[in-house]
Amino acid sequence: MPDRSATGTQTNNADSFRTFLEGWMVRQENYLDELLSGQQHCHDMQDEDIKELCSRMLAHYQEYFEAKSRIAQRDVFLAFSPTWLTSLERTFLWIAGFKPGMVFRIVTNSVLDMSEDQTQRMNRLMEETKLEERALNDELAKVHESVAGPTMLEAARRSGRLVAGEASEEETAMATLRVALESVVANADSLRMRTAVKVVEILRPAQKVRFFAGAAQLQLKIRSWGLQRQEGERQESSGDEW
């Protein structure tokens, strides 16, 4: 029989993060307005003002990662299948979040005036990031292999033969799996944040504003398209019931 208490806890975790995300997205829209305004009046802004705005943006994303980290610690399986995202948003997921290399696409599309030195530094960072992404892919693959390994399979078979009060090897194996997945997610989130910070360090003040604006626009557009498609599917499903 399904564990109702576990299901209820998972639902509460999902609802909690969904509420957080809704508020975070509202703040994201407000930041985008500020970034677009700053983009138009960048020449009139002091470097310190731009630096302060960019610091607030980084803190905004850090807030997101910290909230997601808390969810992953409570239920790492939920982090891999986040019900608070639309099906479209989930197609972009890589280890419970966006792929770090995506920031380089944003740079390419939003920052068109990098110097040769900046371009070289950005390319080096991109190659370093790819190596770290591959290492994390390998780490996650090893976790997946362990799930299908003899220890986990035997534990699953034995769990059906336990007597009352006997400790389940399956529970122990699942706990080990959770710890391994939590580690992979934490390392992936660290790479995401470190990559973004390093990209920002390479860019000049006005370029940073365009980069953050491009990142916010992309996320909000994907969210909007996803919600629209979800609503369309819901209406189509309701129509079929008639």
Side-chain angles (χ1 to χ4, degrees):
M1 292 183 64
D3 187 337
R4 292 183 180 178
S5 63
T7 302
T9 299
Q10 186 178 67
T11 300
N12 290 338
N13 286 335
D15 289 344
S16 174
F17 193 86
R18 185 178 291 107
T19 299
F20 163 79
L21 183 62
E22 288 172 358
W24 190 89
M25 280 292 187
V26 170
R27 294 191 292 278
Q28 180 86 321
E29 291 177 352
N30 293 336
Y31 274 124
L32 178 57
D33 290 340
E34 194 172 349
L35 287 163
L36 292 176
S37 175
Q39 199 171 311
Q40 289 181 336
H41 305 96
C42 222
H43 296 297
D44 300 326
M45 294 178 68
Q46 299 293 322
D47 283 355
E48 283 302 314
D49 294 331
I50 296 176
K51 182 178 179 181
E52 189 269 339
L53 174 58
C54 292
S55 293
R56 283 191 285 125
M57 285 303 302
L58 287 173
H60 176 61
Y61 285 110
Q62 183 66 39
E63 178 189 24
Y64 177 87
F65 285 127
E66 288 175 354
K68 188 163 72 67
S69 175
R70 288 192 291 272
I71 285 293
Q73 289 169 6
R74 293 175 197 157
D75 186 347
V76 70
F77 302 113
L78 182 60
F80 276 91
S81 300
T83 56
W84 50 82
L85 296 181
T86 65
S87 58
L88 177 61
E89 289 171 303
R90 288 196 289 272
T91 64
F92 290 90
L93 287 182
W94 174 85
I95 310 184
F98 69 86
K99 198 167 188 177
M102 185 178 287
V103 299
F104 299 105
R105 296 182 189 178
I106 296 171
V107 170
T108 299
N109 292 330
S110 59
V111 183
L112 308 177
D113 58 345
M114 287 196 299
S115 67
E116 184 176 345
D117 176 65
Q118 284 180 304
T119 301
Q120 290 176 354
R121 291 171 63 194
M122 197 69 72
N123 287 338
R124 283 196 298 271
L125 177 59
M126 182 166 58
E127 292 305 314
E128 292 169 6
T129 302
K130 285 180 181 178
L131 288 174
E132 293 197 63
E133 286 177 348
R134 282 198 287 269
L136 284 169
N137 281 334
D138 291 343
E139 189 178 341
L140 184 60
K142 289 177 182 177
V143 174
H144 286 160
E145 288 170 7
S146 73
V147 174
T151 302
M152 181 69 82
L153 292 177
E154 177 59 24
R157 282 194 293 267
R158 283 196 71 252
S159 66
R161 304 194 298 268
L162 295 177
V163 298
E166 185 178 0
S168 167
E169 283 187 21
E170 183 187 21
E171 291 176 357
T172 303
M174 287 298 289
T176 301
L177 174 61
R178 286 191 186 92
V179 171
L181 288 176
E182 286 169 7
S183 175
V184 175
V185 172
N187 289 336
D189 282 344
S190 175
L191 178 58
R192 282 184 266 268
M193 196 66 196
R194 281 188 286 112
T195 302
V197 169
K198 289 178 180 178
V199 163
V200 171
E201 289 173 349
I202 293 172
L203 300 176
R204 296 192 296 272
Q207 294 171 334
K208 294 177 183 181
V209 173
R210 294 201 296 275
F211 166 71
F212 278 122
Q217 285 174 318
L218 177 62
Q219 186 172 21
L220 289 167
K221 281 180 181 177
I222 293 174
R223 179 73 172 172
S224 177
W225 291 337
L227 290 172
Q228 287 174 19
R229 191 168 80 172
Q230 190 169 277
E231 178 62 20
E233 291 171 352
R234 188 190 67 78
Q235 291 180 357
E236 186 176 314
S237 176
S238 299
D240 290 342
E241 292 177 1
W242 291 92

